[in-house]
Amino acid sequence: PAAAWLPWRGWALISTRASAPPLAGRPASARWSAVLACASLAASWKPREREEWLKSFLVVAAGLAAAALVTGSRHDWRNEMTGLIPPYYNYTAFVLTAAAASAAAWAFHPRGARGTRRMAALAFCALALACLILARSRGSWLGLGAAMTVWSARRFGPRALASIVVAAALLGGAIAGGFLPGPLEGILFKNYRLHAEARPRLWRAAAAIAKESPWLGVGPGSFAVGFRRRPVALDNGAARWAMSTGYAHSEPLQAAAETGLAGLALWLLGAGAALRALFGPASEDPVQEAAAAAAAAMTAHLAIDNMLQIPALAALWLPALAMTSTP
């Protein structure tokens, strides 16, 4: 699984060496090396080891869900459900989304969980969905939609995929045309927050940083350096230009800003090779289907958030894809 990422890893090392603060790239390099090593190990696991991974993952996720409920109950749920991965509730939501998708795929597979295990998997799905509803995590709902799409396409074929694509297009048209009911629109755009939505502006800033240095970018670990040249206004804040961030809140745009547009092409090459396994037919192994559902959910979330910057979260994504692609 690491092989397809090696061209980008080499480019990232060149970018690190050429950047103004080259030492800033060492943590990023260490993180990616560790994650790719985890993925390579996961690819060598036997079916029994994969099943142990899935069970352990669901147990840990249940603990994270309980911790999220404890922290969320202290205030208003929305932004307080940080649980054991502070300071951002979406970190916990990322894990719960992947775990809920994998538990559902495991429970509904013809050769999957049975009896008590199936009931436990479905009970966990209900717990995870309750947490995600209370947190109002948009990335989670995007991830669950992606997991359902991949699962349906793998199990039922192109017609199921086409139906979901049409439904998604209609939903997108309703959002663009302003036809959503007021409460749903408020949840989608989080109109209740004091500060206006900054994420699209962060994405534009990341794209501008990449255009300034299209070949090598600003260097891994140095997004904050480029962001100072392309700041984003903080509406209703104590100071207009007080916002500071080291993340683009989109992993492809993070790669583009830090390693340039050339680096982004190599990053997408590695990601495409890893994601190719999701588009095959359903596996007879229920754990592989669970891993595929989890990987699809996480991939969608990565497009709009910075989850790969957290080593433990990155070590969920690529190993899940590795298990999906290994017979």
Side-chain angles (χ1 to χ4, degrees):
W5 289 96
L6 294 181
W8 178 73
R9 291 290 299 116
W11 192 263
L13 291 174
I14 295 172
S15 175
T16 298
R17 184 66 182 86
S19 64
L23 294 180
R26 293 194 175 185
S29 178
R31 180 178 69 250
W32 272 95
S33 297
V35 170
L36 291 174
C38 287
S40 297
L41 290 171
S44 68
W45 288 346
K46 301 295 187 290
R48 183 176 179 179
E49 293 169 317
R50 295 174 189 167
E51 186 173 353
E52 291 301 319
W53 173 87
L54 176 60
K55 293 176 183 176
S56 301
F57 176 36
L58 295 181
V59 169
V60 169
L64 292 177
L69 290 176
V70 169
T71 57
S73 64
R74 297 173 184 171
H75 193 47
D76 65 350
W77 302 102
R78 295 170 185 162
N79 297 320
E80 302 298 324
M81 296 181 67
T82 55
L84 299 177
I85 320 178
Y88 188 31
Y89 68 94
N90 257 353
Y91 295 146
T92 297
F94 179 77
V95 179
L96 296 184
T97 304
S102 62
W106 188 41
F108 291 116
H109 194 281
R111 298 174 58 185
R114 288 292 178 270
T116 304
R117 290 181 180 178
R118 185 177 189 184
M119 294 301 297
L122 294 176
F124 167 75
C125 282
L127 172 63
L129 289 175
C131 290
L132 298 176
I133 291 171
L134 291 171
R136 299 187 181 183
S137 172
R138 296 167 297 181
S140 293
W141 296 111
L142 178 64
L144 290 173
M148 183 180 68
T149 301
V150 168
W151 180 81
S152 300
R154 289 170 67 91
R155 186 168 183 181
F156 301 112
R159 289 186 178 180
L161 178 61
S163 300
I164 292 175
V165 169
V166 170
L170 292 174
L171 177 61
I175 295 172
F179 297 116
L180 284 183
L184 288 180
E185 185 175 347
I187 292 173
L188 179 62
F189 296 104
K190 297 195 174 181
N191 297 331
Y192 55 81
R193 297 190 303 190
L194 173 63
H195 304 297
E197 178 63 70
R199 196 165 299 185
R201 288 176 288 162
L202 291 176
W203 296 338
R204 288 194 293 270
I209 294 169
K211 288 180 182 179
E212 285 183 356
S213 303
W215 286 104
L216 295 175
V218 294
S222 298
F223 182 86
V225 176
F227 186 75
R228 293 189 191 105
R229 298 197 299 267
R230 293 282 183 174
V232 170
L234 182 62
D235 298 331
N236 301 322
R240 181 171 174 78
W241 304 106
M243 184 182 295
S244 177
T245 180
Y247 309 121
H249 287 272
S250 168
E251 288 299 339
L253 288 174
Q254 185 90 16
E258 293 188 340
T259 60
L261 298 177
L264 173 62
L266 296 175
W267 191 94
L268 292 174
L269 176 67
L275 293 170
R276 185 174 53 187
L278 296 181
F279 299 97
S283 171
E284 293 297 321
D285 181 0
V287 177
Q288 277 194 304
E289 287 304 289
M298 289 186 278
T299 300
H301 207 153
L302 294 177
I304 61 169
D305 223 326
N306 55 281
M307 301 306 176
L308 296 186
Q309 310 305 310
I310 310 297
L313 302 186
L316 282 177
W317 180 55
L318 279 178
L321 284 169
M323 285 186 282
T324 304
S325 61
T326 307

